[in-house]
Amino acid sequence: MPWEERTPMVERKRFVEEAMRREESVAALCRRYGISRKTAYKWLKRYREQGEAGLADRSRRPQRSPRRTAAAVEHQLVAARQAHPAWRARKLRAFLQDKSLPAVSTITAVLHRHDQIDPAVSAQHRPVQRFEHPTPNALWQMDFKGDWALAGGGRCYPLTVLDDHSRFLLNLTACANQTGVTVQQALEETFRQFGLPDRMLMDNGTPWSDGAQSPYTYVTVWLLQLDIPVWHGRPRHPQTQGKDERLHRTLNTELLTVQQADTLAQWQQLFDDWRTVYNDQRPHQAVGDQPPACRYQPSQRPFPEKLPTLDYPSAMHIRRVDATGRISFQNHNLRIGKAFTNQRVGVLTDAAPNDPIQVYFGRFCVQSFDRSTLEKL
């Protein structure tokens, strides 16, 4: 025998029918059904006025909502969201620059009400902890954002350079390859426009690292010649370059997944247009809901069109790196790295006999050798 259905509607109907038969007092029926007498008389009144239809639940929505967001404001918010689908409530409020707009939580509710937010995507967002360098150009982060095939042949490799302090996107170039020459050309244009940073951070991939063989490549040696220290993130720890990684996610969401192009030139035009929006218009939560351009200032270190000559103290012995990336010093064959081929390096000579042999390129120590493990020539 199936279970008897006992929905609120069925219970109300049974109560009303028993009450109408007057075989039992209303108070006794209330005790049996577990309801108050106020509730009982409410359902009896509705039944007498509307019949069985009066026992259905009524909407609790108020007849008037004087504090509800105006339709024109909701239309403005929805239009802005549709123009920038990846921007959330805080960013939209900062972008519209309208002091009459409601709170961020209300804007979020409006976007939900108009189906402008995917609940599954919304659930993925979590609070983050941030660290940033104190001034513009104290650190630039550089990386490639993947690659893809072009319809006309070849591939597109987007190169990004980001200022750590302001999140200002200094460079977004559609590169045909990932060679050191291509990267150097892109950086030269960036340096001419914005000056030199105090240091640069990049991962351990090409063309700015030679993996286990040497952390130096022709690109990083060129940067050292410009007196720009080079930092590398820990292997398999992309969070070291978290700001550049976050930029890549934004780039993918706002541009790469919604636009198509067949050539590098077409992609570059899309990159240039999006970079303008990103730097000058798009509010960035990490910089106080202001566009990155509001916090960025070009470096006071100009780019020298001619590389400066590296000077060494008199306490160092000067050696020139040969084509194999090595120098000879005190009957030792020291491997410096092929990236330094034909460059002058300085070897520190005033150390104690058991101290390591240190090799400098300009002011940077690029190699250190334990004397006890070196073999004589």
Side-chain angles (χ1 to χ4, degrees):
M1 179 177 179
W3 292 99
E4 184 180 8
E5 183 181 14
R6 296 177 65 86
T7 64
M9 186 71 172
V10 170
E11 289 290 283
R12 292 167 193 164
K13 185 178 178 181
R14 286 178 176 175
F15 169 81
V16 169
E17 288 174 347
E18 290 191 43
M20 298 294 284
R21 289 198 296 267
R22 299 181 182 275
E23 296 176 353
E24 196 173 354
S25 69
V26 172
L29 288 172
C30 287
R31 286 192 295 271
R32 183 149 58 86
Y33 279 85
I35 60 175
S36 68
R37 280 185 286 182
K38 180 179 179 181
T39 300
Y41 286 115
K42 177 185 71 173
W43 292 118
L44 285 170
K45 181 176 183 294
R46 290 185 183 179
Y47 183 80
R48 293 189 185 102
E49 293 175 349
Q50 304 177 38
E52 189 173 328
L55 301 178
D57 288 323
R58 294 178 178 178
S59 171
R60 296 185 179 184
R61 182 176 180 178
Q63 295 181 354
R64 296 178 61 254
S65 300
R67 300 182 64 182
R68 178 186 173 93
T69 306
V73 174
E74 292 198 3
H75 176 76
Q76 180 186 24
L77 292 169
V78 171
R81 171 72 175 190
Q82 291 174 343
H84 303 283
W87 294 8
R88 289 184 281 168
R90 182 184 298 275
K91 202 173 301 298
L92 292 172
R93 192 178 194 278
F95 172 71
L96 293 172
Q97 297 182 343
D98 187 343
K99 294 183 178 180
S100 66
L101 288 175
V104 170
S105 58
T106 303
I107 296 176
T108 301
V110 169
L111 297 179
H112 275 292
R113 188 159 59 245
H114 289 272
D115 298 323
Q116 296 298 309
I117 297 179
D118 185 342
V121 174
S122 179
Q124 296 175 359
H125 294 289
R126 296 289 184 271
V128 297
Q129 295 181 340
R130 295 186 176 92
F131 168 81
E132 65 183 25
H133 280 72
T135 58
N137 309 302
L139 178 73
W140 290 2
Q141 298 187 16
M142 178 169 63
D143 200 1
F144 277 103
K145 171 64 178 85
D147 64 284
W148 58 86
L150 298 171
R155 304 188 70 81
C156 178
Y157 299 85
L159 176 67
T160 61
V161 182
L162 184 76
D163 177 61
D164 185 277
H165 171 77
S166 64
R167 277 68 164 183
F168 188 84
L169 183 52
L170 300 136
N171 185 293
L172 177 55
T173 301
C175 300
N177 53 58
Q178 293 180 297
T179 66
V181 172
T182 297
V183 171
Q184 182 173 333
Q185 289 174 347
L187 285 178
E188 284 178 352
E189 293 302 316
T190 305
F191 292 157
R192 289 189 181 101
Q193 184 175 2
F194 299 109
L196 303 181
D198 294 340
R199 60 184 60 84
M200 292 190 69
L201 173 66
M202 53 210 75
D203 62 19
N204 295 277
T206 56
W208 36 71
S209 176
D210 196 18
Q213 295 298 318
S214 172
Y216 302 104
T217 66
Y218 294 109
V219 172
T220 52
V221 168
W222 172 69
L223 291 173
L224 295 181
Q225 284 182 280
L226 292 171
D227 200 31
I228 302 175
V230 176
W231 291 359
H232 293 283
R234 292 170 58 193
R236 297 180 295 279
H237 282 74
Q239 60 268 31
T240 306
Q241 293 174 262
K243 298 181 183 65
D244 212 15
E245 293 291 334
R246 184 62 182 87
L247 163 70
H248 288 174
R249 193 172 82 183
T250 301
L251 173 63
N252 188 68
T253 301
E254 298 187 6
L255 182 66
L256 301 184
T257 58
V258 296
Q259 293 287 356
Q260 294 291 330
D262 297 329
T263 66
L264 283 177
Q266 292 172 351
W267 274 116
Q268 189 61 59
Q269 185 60 57
L270 291 172
F271 287 171
D272 291 343
D273 294 342
W274 182 81
R275 179 170 165 264
T276 297
V277 173
Y278 181 88
N279 282 335
D280 301 328
Q281 302 175 23
R282 180 184 184 274
H284 202 304
Q285 185 176 353
V287 292
D289 290 324
Q290 295 294 319
C294 293
R295 291 185 67 180
Y296 183 73
Q297 294 180 348
S299 170
Q300 298 300 308
R301 299 176 59 200
F303 172 66
E305 294 296 336
K306 182 179 179 181
L307 286 174
T309 301
L310 300 181
D311 296 323
Y312 294 96
S314 57
M316 289 186 179
H317 281 188
I318 309 303
R319 295 289 187 273
R320 189 172 295 275
V321 182
D322 64 20
T324 67
R326 292 175 168 80
I327 63 171
S328 296
F329 180 71
Q330 294 182 350
N331 293 324
H332 296 297
N333 192 10
L334 306 181
R335 186 185 186 281
I336 312 302
K338 286 188 176 182
F340 293 94
T341 296
N342 209 36
Q343 297 284 358
R344 296 168 62 251
V345 295
V347 185
L348 193 60
T349 61
D350 60 351
N354 293 327
D355 286 348
I357 298 174
Q358 294 180 320
V359 181
Y360 284 78
F361 183 64
R363 66 184 179 95
F364 304 103
C365 181
V366 294
Q367 291 289 0
S368 182
F369 300 93
D370 184 348
R371 297 171 187 264
S372 64
T373 62
L374 295 176
E375 296 181 0
K376 295 288 185 178
L377 291 175

